[in-house]
Amino acid sequence: MWIHPEEVLLAGPLWVSERANPFFILQRRRGHGRGGGLSGLLVGTLDVVLDSSARVAPYRILLQTADSQVFWSVACGSSRKEITEHWDWLEANLLQTVSIFDNDQDVTTFVKGKILGIIAEEKRLQQGEEPEEDCGKFREAELKMRRLFGMPEEEKLVNYYSCSFWKGRVPRQGWLYLSINHLCFYSFLLGKEVTLVVQWSEVTRLEKNATLVFPESVRVSTRHSEHFFSMFININDTFRLMEQLANIAMRQLLDNEAFAADRSLPKACKTLRNVSALKRDLDARAKNERYRAMFRLTQDERLDGHTDCTLWTPFAKMHVVGQLFISNNYVCFNSREEDLCQLIIPLREVSIVEKADSSSVLPCPVSISTKNKMNFLFANLRDRDFLVQRISDFLQRTPDSCWGGATSTPACPQTSAPKPVIKRKGHFKNMFLCLAAPPLQMKEKMKEEAWNIHFSEFGRGVCMYRTSRTRELVLNGIPECLRGELWLLFSGAQNEMASHPGYYGDLVETAMGVCSLATEEIERDLHRSMPEHRAFQNATGIAALRRVLTAYAHRNPGIGYCQAMNIVTSVLLLYCPEEEAFWLLVALCERMLPDYYNTRVVGALVDQGVFEDLTQGFLPLLYEHMQQLGVISTISLSWFLTLFLSVMPFDSAVLLVDCFFYEGIKLIFQVALAVLHDNMDALLSCSDEGEAMTILGRYLDNVVNKQTVAPPIPHLHALLTSGDSPPPEIDVFDLIKSSYERFGSLRSDVIEQMRFKQRLKVIQSLEDTAKRSVVRAMMTESAFSIEELEELYCLFKAQHMTSCYWGSSSSAAERHDPSLPYLEQYRIDPAQFLQLFTALAPWLCGGHTPSLAARLFRLLDQNQDGLVNFKEFITGLSGMCHGDMTEKLKLLYKLHLPPDVQVKDYRYYLRMWAKEKEQKTETIKDLPRMNQEQFIELCKTLYNMFSEEREEQQLYHAIATVASLLLRIGEVGKKFNNGGGRKTEAAQAPPTASQTPPAVSQAPSTTYLTPPTIYQAPPTDTQSPSPVDLQAPPPDDPEAPPPDALCRALAEAQLEPAAGSDEEARDDGSVSSYSVVSASSLACEDLADDTVLVGGGQQRPGSGLDADWSISFEQVLASLLTEPPLVDYFEKKTDVRDKMAACNAKRAVQRQISSSLVLI
């Protein structure tokens, strides 16, 4: 590429001149390409260690003048082709022009100006395509990565780092390249080259550790190996990026979403040095995720920026130091000191944003007023004018919302007196409310009064100040009448409901009446949802539960419905109206408990692994014993999926739900650890899993809420597990308090870090489980061994993943559906199938291979959706490799039959269903007969299959004999079907064929031609046979019949003498109904690969195909059995292991320059 002219003082030490003229020199970097000797090795080593290879391209062009010792670099290139194009342009356009200048200074000025003009023009043309370009150094590093590791342009480099890769006990200094889909490392030291390529989707463990052997290193583990990297300049930054890329890969395996840079992510105002735009976008994505998690915001919220500031808190009469966050719909504040103060201000609630008077006490203040008369004062803002303008811009784009109601009661501490509690209607709790004892009613009133006081001081609704006092009130229990309102507030569901007015009603109207697998499962579980509660013992409660679950299944088909959702939703409906319960369910499934309720409950399995790690850290002795019993994995799944609602009395579990909506998953982990701690002694004395489960079950059954005002609800699990002497009751408030005292040090960011570690392990474990299930299922349906099936599955999956990375004719969502059975999850399209067929199939036919692969794909694609799953692929490959002769010939025969084209109406599916019920085994007599055109295609396929065989000549001779025999059989059969020697009319084209030329249609039926030959051998021993030259037998075979003899042998198929000469026939353009094909129709060009005939019935121009001629599969089989070479060929079993090894080697990065190659 052209570069800004730079002065070069020394042009020779590290470069070799390859071309020169009076004004320009083309040079190559020493150590690049062949040769170079010791100096080349030294330069190559310096380039790798000092990053010169990224900063300096291997080729460059210098401007020189005769009287000057200074050179100017005007162009560089990563390949010889690129630099040669620039050199040719200079010679063609500038060399003659600069030769007329008298002054060297004028030459330099002219050339520099010309190069700068070219660069400016290129930038102008690329401005629309690439609004923000990476710096030249990063661009060179990306080109180097693609060259070293064979990556296509679709593979985008995110960043690269200098580090050491530990190969054995020796560190190799080099460069680590982190791309979207791969981790790559390259080192070149004194002629020794090390190359490493790891797919992110293969990573099973990624952690940062410090040991004596590997100080401050990053360990990357796969199923088969471990790799250590150390000596980073900034290991934390590198590790965060590696975590993010690995997480994206796991997400691709989980829900098919191939990575694409989000264009709505904010871009930096200035191009950062040596950082790609993609890296900045990923950093912005990570910041967005942290911002949304911190304030429980919706998934489409994008952080615009944040700044340090102070917030005046009227309840504490002080300024709180923290950070102000601005996004497209919210202004948020979080104090620097944890739990001191948090604030969320939706822009839909904002009425005024203005700059207040600045003073020494309150510098640069900004005042934000809301519609419910609350006022927030921020100060110590660095760029106040820009901030106010930015908020104003977002306000202009925010639509007016009339959302408010009971949850947005005005609460300004200066002007508003405490408001009475507003009890909300519309949920089922009030329908079945019974009066409790007076002391309990008094406690409930005291809780309500405490919350009213809190609302008067801190505000009410979404703009409420959230402080440590708020947490204390939540831990003491939320009053029954406020529970739904505060759940909606703390979970963030209120914001999502406010931004989607009418959404739930429209969704219910659309979803109800639609039948699906999810709705069937919902109907099955409706009456199992809290059957002990009276609210769900009548049609009203069941109908509401049905509507909420069905609406969510319609909203999120990826999750649909999962068991345990009914239990959680029924509890939500007890305290919230339907619409609010729906949005609470959305918040649970999509934000607070991510991936918990998908088809494989990945999120719950991840948190189960986190819980095991926490148990090991906090309760190491108990962990060892519980691992031996296998209890932790059994108990934790039910605890987490239902938030203890299924294992604890309702009135106690609902208090945990209160705390969960405020604290998040951290509270569930704390309580689970507290339960184990309270039962430690009893669990350590257990000898089996059942005893431990009984102890924990009876403990949880007796966790009671002594302050509840609701009537007691019998707990079914407690009724079934209660013994003669039940254990003492445990107050749920004491359990929550002890969980904070013992395990309150847990932090949300630490939990997220542990979740990432477990997510790698869980998803890879699920992938391994899928592979094992597929192998077990296919063991009885194929002749491959377990090891071969596992390797074939990996190749099949890798082909699918590669197409997801670098493009395909179909989308990833179409080809990967995790909800399907394991055998059908991964599917490939025709282009991917062709690659695997070429790499693994034993029937390779040279240029005819794509046609044969397309035929096999069409045969295997039974549902005609344009995709083939692993089971179908193995069925075809097993038949080719391990079938007996009859099976192989049957498959080959069926490949050349036309596809059954049927209209897929309800009758078609009924017939298919009836055939499945019959379970009839297909026999060779069920195969249809093969017509003339299909037979020609079969001969072409057979001819091309033998090109790489040792007994090539014998096979050619055998197939010629078989073809001659089958021609006779077809003619005999046609004559028999037509009534002996009775002359028939000229052959008519099938109904689907194009119209026959007039000369052919008027031909007399008594005219015959010399039959063609269907045989040809390769012209030389070293060349593969050409599929288009089918005229003569191989000259090197003394036993092969000469052309005339072969023609005479085939001519015997004519059972009646010709009425005229061949010349007359050719002049007349006539065709015999008994001849196979006219001589002209089997010319070399007519049998070329680009005229492959698919489907019986289409007639080519100039060919005279006999519609009455046909043969059966039994005749083909019997004919081939007469030739021992063909019998040996088709009886031979094919070992696919060598082909799989070659396929893996082809996919790997191969370097042969005295390299030490490490590949995954």
Side-chain angles (χ1 to χ4, degrees):
M1 60 181 177
W2 303 108
I3 60 175
H4 289 272
E6 296 179 355
E7 190 173 322
V8 178
L9 296 178
L10 297 176
L14 303 180
W15 297 84
V16 178
S17 297
E18 294 195 340
R19 296 187 185 182
N21 59 45
F23 296 98
F24 300 101
I25 303 174
L26 190 154
Q27 293 185 328
R28 173 178 55 83
R29 184 82 168 174
R30 293 184 186 272
H32 182 82
R34 297 180 179 178
L38 180 60
S39 63
L41 293 178
L42 291 174
V43 173
T45 302
L46 289 174
D47 283 345
V48 172
V49 175
L50 301 179
D51 191 24
S52 301
S53 57
R55 184 167 53 252
V56 180
Y59 296 95
R60 70 178 182 182
I61 297 176
L62 301 179
L63 168 66
Q64 66 169 358
T65 53
D67 299 333
S68 176
Q69 298 298 320
V70 178
F71 298 83
W72 295 87
S73 177
V74 296
C76 66
S78 59
S79 65
R80 187 180 297 275
K81 179 181 178 182
E82 180 184 4
I83 204 67
T84 302
E85 291 177 354
H86 288 59
W87 178 266
D88 293 341
W89 188 89
L90 289 173
E91 286 192 330
N93 296 277
L94 290 187
L95 190 59
Q96 187 175 0
T97 303
V98 297
S99 61
I100 64 176
F101 286 96
D102 297 331
N103 190 348
D104 291 342
Q105 185 65 30
D106 294 340
V107 172
T108 303
T109 303
F110 175 79
V111 173
K112 289 168 62 177
K114 189 68 175 177
I115 298 300
L116 292 174
I118 294 174
I119 295 173
E121 180 66 17
E122 288 180 347
K123 285 186 176 181
R124 185 186 66 81
L125 295 175
Q126 296 176 359
Q127 200 167 16
E129 302 175 1
E130 299 181 4
E132 188 173 1
E133 298 179 358
D134 296 332
C135 64
K137 181 178 178 180
F138 187 89
R139 176 62 178 166
E140 289 295 333
E142 186 172 39
L143 294 174
K144 180 185 176 184
M145 180 201 72
R146 293 174 184 165
R147 175 173 56 84
L148 290 175
F149 306 106
M151 301 291 179
E153 290 191 5
E154 291 82 3
E155 184 70 4
K156 302 298 184 183
L157 177 65
V158 179
N159 211 351
Y160 65 105
Y161 303 91
S162 173
C163 69
S164 291
F165 168 57
W166 291 79
K167 190 174 185 297
R169 297 183 178 180
V170 180
R172 300 296 181 93
Q173 184 67 27
W175 290 91
L176 181 69
Y177 298 86
L178 303 181
S179 68
I180 290 299
N181 304 301
H182 297 84
L183 176 152
C184 307
F185 177 83
Y186 179 77
S187 174
F188 183 83
L189 295 176
L190 299 177
K192 295 295 182 180
E193 188 176 42
V194 176
T195 306
L196 173 71
V197 178
V198 180
Q199 287 187 2
W200 289 118
S201 59
E202 295 295 326
V203 173
T204 59
R205 190 173 183 180
L206 182 66
E207 59 183 357
K208 182 178 61 175
N209 51 20
T211 63
L212 294 176
V213 181
F214 302 111
E216 197 71 4
S217 62
V218 173
R219 178 167 68 174
V220 180
S221 303
T222 65
R223 290 178 176 84
H224 308 294
S225 59
E226 289 187 344
H227 310 288
F228 292 87
F229 302 90
S230 62
M231 301 184 187
F232 292 94
I233 297 176
N234 187 344
I235 190 171
N236 293 326
D237 178 67
T238 307
F239 186 71
R240 279 195 299 269
L241 180 58
M242 295 170 75
E243 278 186 325
Q244 195 172 8
L245 294 172
N247 209 18
I248 290 172
M250 294 304 105
R251 178 61 57 182
Q252 291 173 352
L253 291 175
L254 184 61
D255 57 10
N256 333 326
E257 292 184 359
F259 174 77
D262 194 338
R263 295 183 180 179
S264 63
L265 289 174
K267 298 289 193 296
C269 298
K270 297 181 180 179
T271 302
L272 303 178
R273 181 177 176 81
N274 301 335
V275 177
S276 68
L278 189 55
K279 173 65 166 60
R280 293 194 297 274
D281 288 351
L282 286 173
D283 291 342
R285 174 175 292 202
K287 290 180 180 179
N288 284 331
E289 291 175 354
R290 290 193 296 269
Y291 169 65
R292 291 193 294 261
M294 183 186 302
F295 299 104
R296 306 272 176 84
L297 302 179
T298 57
Q299 296 296 324
D300 57 351
E301 199 63 26
R302 298 287 184 265
L303 178 64
D304 187 69
H306 59 89
T307 183
D308 294 332
C309 70
T310 59
L311 170 66
W312 171 252
T313 53
F315 55 87
K317 302 296 189 291
M318 61 179 292
H319 292 278
V320 177
V321 179
Q323 282 191 320
L324 182 69
F325 299 84
I326 308 295
S327 61
N328 45 338
N329 293 300
Y330 297 90
V331 175
C332 303
F333 175 85
N334 194 46
S335 61
R336 185 175 299 173
E337 182 180 346
E338 189 176 4
D339 293 332
L340 185 59
C341 182
Q342 189 182 77
L343 186 64
I344 301 174
I345 309 174
L347 292 182
R348 66 177 184 273
E349 298 287 340
V350 173
S351 58
I352 299 174
V353 178
E354 58 183 353
K355 293 181 286 187
D357 295 334
S358 182
S359 66
S360 58
V361 180
L362 203 64
C364 302
V366 171
S367 174
I368 299 179
S369 301
T370 63
K371 296 174 182 177
N372 60 355
K373 309 303 181 184
M374 294 186 70
N375 184 60
F376 305 97
L377 190 62
F378 301 93
N380 292 284
L381 294 165
R382 295 181 181 177
D383 196 346
R384 181 176 62 165
D385 294 338
F386 175 78
L387 179 67
V388 172
Q389 182 61 44
R390 196 65 181 156
I391 297 176
S392 300
D393 293 341
F394 284 131
L395 277 173
Q396 292 177 1
R397 296 197 291 265
T398 302
D400 264 345
S401 176
C402 58
W403 171 258
T407 59
S408 297
T409 305
C412 182
Q414 290 83 359
T415 60
S416 302
K419 299 289 183 181
V421 174
I422 301 177
K423 296 186 178 181
R424 308 173 52 163
K425 299 180 181 180
H427 47 81
F428 298 114
K429 193 71 176 178
N430 292 337
M431 297 181 184
F432 308 98
L433 185 62
C434 299
L435 295 177
L440 296 179
Q441 292 184 17
M442 184 61 66
K443 285 188 177 181
E444 187 73 7
K445 290 291 185 182
M446 291 174 61
K447 287 183 182 179
E448 294 176 13
E449 187 62 27
W451 276 99
N452 283 330
I453 295 173
H454 184 273
F455 291 151
S456 66
E457 294 180 0
F458 297 89
R460 186 171 185 176
V462 70
C463 298
M464 178 178 66
Y465 292 96
R466 307 178 192 200
T467 66
S468 56
R469 173 61 180 160
T470 311
R471 170 186 285 178
E472 292 176 6
L473 289 175
V474 171
L475 296 183
N476 290 329
I478 298 177
E480 297 278 331
C481 57
L482 293 176
R483 184 161 277 146
E485 173 187 340
L486 294 177
W487 283 0
L488 206 67
L489 175 65
F490 295 144
S491 66
Q494 179 174 328
N495 291 321
E496 200 156 6
M497 183 168 67
S499 57
H500 296 84
Y503 176 84
Y504 174 71
D506 296 339
L507 198 60
V508 170
E509 185 177 351
T510 304
M512 295 306 293
V514 177
C515 185
S516 64
L517 179 62
T519 58
E520 293 177 3
E521 294 177 349
I522 290 170
E523 291 296 327
R524 189 165 55 245
D525 287 348
L526 282 176
H527 295 278
R528 305 175 188 171
S529 308
M530 295 191 68
E532 66 274 14
H533 199 287
R534 289 185 294 167
F536 299 100
Q537 294 172 359
N538 60 80
T540 304
I542 294 295
L545 182 60
R546 177 188 292 112
R547 285 191 293 270
V548 174
L549 291 174
T550 304
Y552 185 77
H554 191 76
R555 165 190 166 88
N556 193 342
I559 292 178
Y561 171 76
C562 174
Q563 285 187 346
M565 288 174 64
N566 59 322
I567 297 175
V568 175
T569 307
S570 60
V571 175
L572 300 179
L573 282 170
L574 290 176
Y575 298 99
C576 306
E578 279 186 40
E579 184 174 9
E580 295 181 2
F582 169 79
W583 287 112
L584 278 170
L585 184 63
V586 170
L588 275 173
C589 296
E590 299 177 10
R591 288 187 282 110
M592 301 191 73
L593 298 175
D595 303 322
Y596 258 59
Y597 301 106
N598 58 21
T599 54
R600 296 187 283 183
V601 292
V602 173
L605 293 174
V606 168
D607 282 351
Q608 175 182 296
V610 173
F611 180 57
E612 292 183 6
D613 288 348
L614 291 173
T615 306
Q616 185 179 15
F618 287 101
L619 308 170
L621 292 178
L622 182 60
Y623 171 78
E624 296 294 336
H625 187 67
M626 297 282 279
Q627 283 295 99
Q628 295 176 2
L629 300 180
V631 177
I632 296 182
S633 59
T634 305
I635 59 175
S636 56
L637 201 60
S638 60
W639 294 1
F640 296 151
L641 277 173
T642 62
L643 304 177
F644 286 96
L645 288 167
S646 63
V647 296
M648 192 180 289
F650 172 77
D651 293 319
S652 303
V654 77
L655 289 175
L656 300 184
V657 178
D658 292 343
C659 302
F660 167 75
F661 276 121
Y662 187 83
E663 292 279 17
I665 194 63
K666 165 188 170 182
L667 183 277
I668 303 298
F669 285 127
Q670 288 181 188
V671 172
L673 289 171
V675 170
L676 293 183
H677 181 272
D678 289 350
N679 294 274
M680 183 184 297
D681 295 337
L683 291 172
L684 287 174
S685 62
C686 291
S687 57
D688 57 50
E689 178 184 357
E691 186 179 356
M693 293 289 294
T694 302
I695 291 172
L696 292 173
R698 296 185 67 184
Y699 175 88
L700 292 172
D701 290 338
N702 288 275
V703 176
V704 298
N705 178 9
K706 300 179 180 179
Q707 299 181 13
T708 181
V709 295
I713 301 174
H715 189 226
L716 295 181
H717 187 265
L719 296 176
L720 295 174
T721 60
S722 60
D724 296 334
S725 56
E729 293 181 343
I730 301 96
D731 194 329
V732 66
F733 291 101
D734 294 337
L735 178 62
I736 294 173
K737 182 179 178 181
S738 66
S739 73
Y740 274 93
E741 290 175 350
R742 293 190 177 98
F743 311 107
S745 59
L746 278 179
R747 294 175 50 187
S748 299
D749 56 344
V750 175
I751 292 176
E752 287 302 318
Q753 181 70 27
M754 299 174 72
R755 274 179 165 178
F756 164 75
K757 176 183 174 182
Q758 291 298 326
R759 190 177 293 113
L760 291 178
K761 185 185 301 183
V762 167
I763 294 180
Q764 296 295 5
S765 176
L766 290 173
E767 292 295 312
D768 291 340
T769 301
K771 181 172 69 173
R772 288 192 296 269
S773 300
V774 168
V775 169
R776 283 196 302 267
M778 293 304 300
M779 279 297 296
T780 58
E781 300 186 20
S782 70
F784 292 112
S785 65
I786 294 178
E787 294 77 12
E788 289 173 342
L789 283 173
E790 288 180 347
E791 187 65 27
L792 287 170
Y793 179 83
C794 292
L795 289 173
F796 190 89
K797 177 184 170 184
Q799 187 65 41
H800 164 84
M801 296 302 298
T802 302
S803 66
C804 291
Y805 297 157
W806 300 328
S808 177
S809 58
S810 56
S811 68
E814 292 175 350
R815 290 175 285 111
H816 180 212
D817 186 356
S819 63
L820 292 175
Y822 288 133
L823 281 171
E824 304 174 15
Q825 281 188 9
Y826 291 107
R827 293 172 289 179
I828 57 176
D829 57 24
Q832 300 166 305
F833 182 84
L834 174 59
Q835 296 180 22
L836 286 179
F837 181 87
T838 305
L840 300 174
W843 296 347
L844 297 183
C845 304
H848 199 57
T849 300
S851 172
L852 187 63
R855 293 173 184 273
L856 181 59
F857 184 90
R858 183 194 67 203
L859 181 65
L860 297 177
D861 184 16
Q862 297 180 358
N863 58 358
Q864 300 180 11
D865 61 351
L867 299 170
V868 166
N869 59 40
F870 182 71
K871 179 180 179 180
E872 295 166 340
F873 173 76
I874 289 297
T875 301
L877 186 62
S878 180
M880 290 186 290
C881 294
H882 297 291
D884 57 21
M885 179 177 179
T886 303
E887 292 176 353
K888 291 181 180 178
L889 288 178
K890 182 179 175 181
L891 175 61
L892 197 60
Y893 184 89
K894 291 170 69 175
L895 291 181
H896 295 81
L897 295 177
D900 293 331
V901 180
Q902 303 185 33
V903 179
K904 290 187 177 182
D905 57 3
Y906 71 95
R907 289 168 295 184
Y908 166 80
Y909 291 104
L910 287 175
R911 288 194 297 269
M912 293 294 293
W913 177 79
K915 289 181 180 179
E916 292 177 358
K917 291 296 183 182
E918 290 175 4
Q919 296 183 351
K920 181 181 178 182
T921 303
E922 185 184 46
T923 64
I924 59 177
K925 293 184 179 181
D926 297 327
L927 295 175
R929 298 178 67 85
M930 179 177 284
N931 66 22
Q932 194 176 87
E933 189 172 18
Q934 296 155 10
F935 174 70
I936 295 172
E937 291 299 324
L938 176 61
C939 291
K940 288 175 59 178
T941 300
L942 289 171
Y943 170 83
N944 286 279
M945 284 170 58
F946 308 140
S947 60
E948 298 180 0
E949 294 297 319
R950 294 181 179 178
E951 300 179 354
E952 183 179 351
Q953 305 301 331
Q954 290 84 350
L955 289 169
Y956 288 145
H957 186 279
I959 199 61
T961 305
V962 170
S964 174
L965 179 59
L966 287 172
L967 288 172
R968 298 183 189 184
I969 292 173
E971 291 296 333
V972 171
K974 183 187 70 171
K975 184 174 181 180
F976 177 78
N977 292 333
N978 288 340
R982 180 173 52 86
K983 297 180 181 180
T984 60
E985 296 181 358
Q988 300 297 324
T992 58
S994 58
Q995 294 184 353
T996 307
V1000 176
S1001 62
Q1002 298 173 5
S1005 60
T1006 57
T1007 302
Y1008 302 93
L1009 297 178
T1010 302
T1013 60
I1014 315 295
Y1015 176 82
Q1016 183 214 353
T1020 64
D1021 292 338
T1022 59
Q1023 297 179 356
S1024 61
S1026 171
V1028 298
D1029 186 11
L1030 303 174
Q1031 300 302 318
D1036 297 335
D1037 187 1
E1039 298 182 2
D1044 295 339
L1046 183 58
C1047 290
R1048 286 195 299 272
L1050 296 180
E1052 295 177 3
Q1054 309 297 341
L1055 301 180
E1056 294 186 8
S1061 65
D1062 291 347
E1063 288 77 13
E1064 292 175 355
R1066 292 189 185 93
D1067 293 339
D1068 196 25
S1070 60
V1071 176
S1072 168
S1073 62
Y1074 297 145
S1075 64
V1076 179
V1077 184
S1078 66
S1080 61
S1081 69
L1082 272 181
C1084 295
E1085 62 271 15
D1086 190 52
L1087 283 178
D1089 288 333
D1090 58 354
T1091 59
V1092 174
L1093 304 174
V1094 179
Q1098 292 205 357
Q1099 183 173 350
R1100 296 169 295 174
S1103 65
L1105 297 176
D1106 196 334
D1108 296 330
W1109 189 96
S1110 66
I1111 56 174
S1112 66
F1113 175 73
E1114 296 98 314
Q1115 294 167 342
V1116 174
L1117 178 61
S1119 301
L1120 264 70
L1121 286 172
T1122 62
E1123 294 295 326
L1126 291 175
V1127 174
D1128 294 340
Y1129 175 82
F1130 284 106
E1131 287 288 355
K1132 180 177 59 178
K1133 307 297 182 183
T1134 303
D1135 190 354
V1136 78
R1137 286 177 294 183
D1138 293 338
K1139 289 183 174 290
M1140 290 191 295
C1143 187
N1144 284 326
K1146 184 178 179 181
R1147 290 176 54 236
V1149 179
Q1150 297 186 356
R1151 306 269 305 164
Q1152 301 296 335
I1153 311 175
S1154 64
S1155 63
S1156 173
L1157 188 62
V1158 183
L1159 284 173
I1160 301 301

